[in-house]
Amino acid sequence: MAITGIKGFNDILPGEVEKWQHIEATARRVFELYGLSEIRIPILEKTELFCRSIGDATDIVEKEMYSFVDKGENKVTMRPEGTASVMRAYVEHKMHALDPVARLYYMGPMFRYERPQKGRYRQFHQIGAEITGVAAPTVDAQVLTMLTHFFQELGLTEPSLQINSLGCPCCRPAYREALKKFLLDRIDKLCDDCKRRYDTNPLRALDCKSAGCQEATQGAPSMLDHLCAECGDHFDKTRKYLELVGTPYSINQRMVRGLDYYTRTTFEMVTTMLGSQSAVAAGGRYDGLISSIGGPQIPGIGFAMGVERVALLLAEKDFSRRPDLFIAALGDEAHPEAFRLMSALQRLGLAVEIDYEGKSLKSQMRRADKFNSRFTLIIGGDELARGTAPLKNMDGGSQIDVNLDAASIQAAMTGGA
Ligand code: HAM
């Protein structure tokens, strides 16, 4: 029996991979406009890193991590997200000593043992961005504007930006207590998960999808009404800066986020097009994370998008690549000439195809059709004798005779033949 891949772990095949490359290239281009540099972080980290940063009482740490003990008896975990690793690297390499402001992006696979469905996988890919060292709300607005800019560059009108504030260690505890008090009378309606985390993480009931939790949280107090003066001011200013640069957003007071490190601004880019997997990108501010993993007290903010979900939103768009030229060769003498010209043109930077086996003209033209090349060149005995051959523009239909040397063919193709 043939061996298959593991459930929730996908191959990304040619045909689809071009879309991924486009998403990645767009992210690099846009993020670099905002001064970000790439960082590459390892897939395996000490398990403790994620327990301390994401939080012991989160779904990710409680039940979704790919953790194991390696041959040296070390407890290790395949990263479920990138922020903790990037901050670990930031602290470990003392990047803050030179300048606390680091602007970083990363891309790559993440691993969570979730129930696979459309838009949710066990190995999935994130493109993330993190900015450290700035507490001011200008940077919140900048990060959100960059993320919006990225989706605009992809030509997507969905997803849309929702923002919230989760306050800080100063104001959140009082809000938690107010929410717990509100939920106490309604605790029977909560789902089993939310009942269990009533003490450890009661806020999760606000964005729980179960009907009971939605009913129980109707009319619940809002974090935004409980923000301390500093957090309230931070949120107002973030909104003002977003409005100043025309970045559209709406407020979602129920947005909680599934990771414990967030403070103040949190956000999601949501779509209605992917069923229950509505968050295409998500993030927030994490002013206590760096110190929680042993670094100095330095604030940070960032986001990550799910590349599979972005690719699903781009499903309708065609990213297939077209070769520049297909050379059809008729007969034993023309075939080596086609091969020689292909090689010379490839060295000049053109994408060129031939039929490797030199089959009949009909089958070569079928291949040319399949490749959908921009130009075709047909070489037979007569053309070899003349030293010229017809070069056809497959888009415009025009045809000109070109000399059978690479430079002339290239000139004719770039000259708009
Ligand atoms: P997160 O909300 O856990 O945040 O994940 C961010 C995004 O990754 C989600 O919005 C979703 O698009 C995608 N994603 C998550 N899990 C899956 C999955 N199982 N299958 C497919 N896509 C998935 C974080 O990971 C934070 N580190 C974001 C962040 C960066 N916050 C600050 N900086």
Side-chain angles (χ1 to χ4, degrees):
M1 215 166 66
I3 300 170
T4 57
I6 300 171
K7 188 176 168 192
F9 285 64
N10 298 317
D11 302 306
I12 300 135
L13 303 179
E16 174 69 5
V17 88
E18 291 78 10
K19 196 181 294 168
W20 284 58
Q21 290 168 341
H22 178 71
I23 295 168
E24 290 161 2
T26 305
R28 286 181 196 283
R29 185 164 52 75
V30 173
F31 293 179
E32 286 171 14
L33 293 176
Y34 292 76
L36 277 69
S37 307
E38 186 175 359
I39 181 168
R40 299 193 184 191
I41 41 175
I43 284 175
L44 218 53
E45 295 274 2
K46 291 180 182 160
T47 300
E48 192 193 350
L49 172 67
F50 302 115
C51 299
R52 278 218 329 239
S53 55
I54 299 173
D56 281 322
T58 57
D59 281 354
I60 297 179
V61 172
E62 270 187 348
K63 45 191 185 192
E64 294 172 358
M65 294 207 303
Y66 279 87
S67 298
F68 57 95
V69 179
D70 73 7
K71 291 192 198 319
E73 302 292 316
N74 305 298
K75 288 186 183 156
V76 292
T77 295
M78 289 164 74
R79 61 183 188 199
E81 59 112 47
T83 312
S85 301
V86 172
M87 292 309 129
R88 194 255 323 126
Y90 174 79
V91 173
E92 185 169 343
H93 301 290
K94 299 196 171 51
M95 290 170 75
H96 48 83
L98 220 55
D99 181 357
V101 182
R103 297 179 290 179
L104 305 166
Y105 72 87
Y106 52 92
M107 40 185 82
M110 308 290 160
F111 304 86
R112 295 184 194 174
Y113 195 83
E114 293 196 80
R115 199 164 43 78
Q117 62 182 74
K118 183 180 172 190
R120 188 165 73 197
Y121 311 101
R122 289 181 175 169
Q123 174 176 315
F124 61 99
H125 296 75
Q126 284 187 342
I127 300 178
E130 315 289 350
I131 300 186
T132 61
V134 191
T138 35
V139 88
D140 302 46
Q142 170 97 108
V143 162
L144 291 169
T145 300
M146 180 176 84
L147 184 57
T148 304
H149 185 170
F150 165 80
F151 284 109
Q152 285 165 347
E153 285 291 304
L154 285 183
L156 290 170
T157 46
E158 285 240 20
S160 55
L161 174 62
Q162 296 187 346
I163 64 170
N164 194 18
S165 175
L166 289 181
C168 68
C170 205
C171 50
R172 202 184 311 158
Y175 171 66
R176 257 172 72 119
E177 287 316 307
L179 181 66
K180 278 174 79 175
K181 207 164 145 209
F182 175 87
L183 289 176
L184 195 58
D185 295 344
R186 301 162 173 82
I187 202 155
D188 291 342
K189 294 204 179 98
L190 298 180
C191 73
D192 289 346
D193 270 347
C194 287
K195 265 192 204 121
R196 189 171 45 80
R197 41 188 190 208
Y198 172 81
D199 277 315
T200 52
N201 209 348
L203 272 66
R204 289 311 306 272
L206 291 173
D207 75 344
C208 179
K209 303 230 158 64
S210 93
C213 292
Q214 297 208 344
E215 197 192 324
T217 53
Q218 283 289 323
S222 149
M223 182 72 233
L224 292 183
D225 296 331
H226 288 74
L227 294 178
C228 61
E230 289 80 7
C231 288
D233 185 53
H234 187 93
F235 192 61
D236 290 345
K237 286 191 173 137
T238 300
R239 294 181 54 190
K240 283 213 179 79
Y241 282 115
L242 287 173
E243 283 152 27
L244 184 68
V245 294
T247 300
Y249 70 90
S250 59
I251 294 176
N252 176 0
Q253 304 195 24
R254 286 178 165 266
M255 183 201 308
V256 173
R257 311 283 303 115
L259 303 95
D260 277 359
Y261 50 61
Y262 291 115
T263 50
R264 296 194 166 167
T265 315
T266 51
F267 52 91
E268 288 186 351
M269 280 281 185
V270 295
T271 177
T272 50
M273 287 156 79
L274 300 178
S276 57
Q277 306 313 309
S278 57
V280 180
R285 187 167 265 291
Y286 44 84
D287 292 347
L289 172 60
I290 296 171
S291 58
S292 80
I293 59 168
Q297 177 50 54
I298 293 177
I301 179 169
F303 63 79
M305 68 184 86
V307 182
E308 285 82 358
R309 295 185 190 179
V310 180
L312 282 166
L313 291 184
L314 288 172
E316 301 303 313
K317 303 206 177 178
D318 183 11
F319 292 93
S320 52
R321 267 199 294 267
R322 298 176 74 185
D324 298 307
L325 175 67
F326 183 87
I327 308 176
L330 298 176
D332 289 347
E333 277 174 53
H335 197 242
E337 178 62 1
F339 187 77
R340 186 188 70 78
L341 282 172
M342 172 176 74
S343 179
L345 284 161
Q346 284 166 332
R347 282 159 201 269
L348 290 177
L350 293 169
V352 185
E353 296 283 349
I354 61 166
D355 184 286
Y356 291 116
E357 291 173 53
K359 291 189 190 129
S360 70
L361 181 63
K362 203 167 147 204
S363 93
Q364 291 194 45
M365 292 326 279
R366 259 205 310 273
R367 256 179 100 66
D369 254 9
K370 183 183 146 233
F371 282 123
N372 187 25
S373 60
R374 289 171 42 234
F375 289 87
T376 53
L377 183 74
I378 302 182
I379 313 174
D382 289 352
E383 284 76 16
L384 277 185
R386 273 205 321 267
T388 65
L391 175 75
K392 185 164 183 189
N393 181 331
M394 302 306 283
D395 292 335
S398 65
Q399 186 168 310
I400 55 164
D401 264 1
V402 289
N403 289 336
L404 288 181
D405 66 85
S408 307
I409 297 170
Q410 184 194 33
M413 284 171 63
T414 49

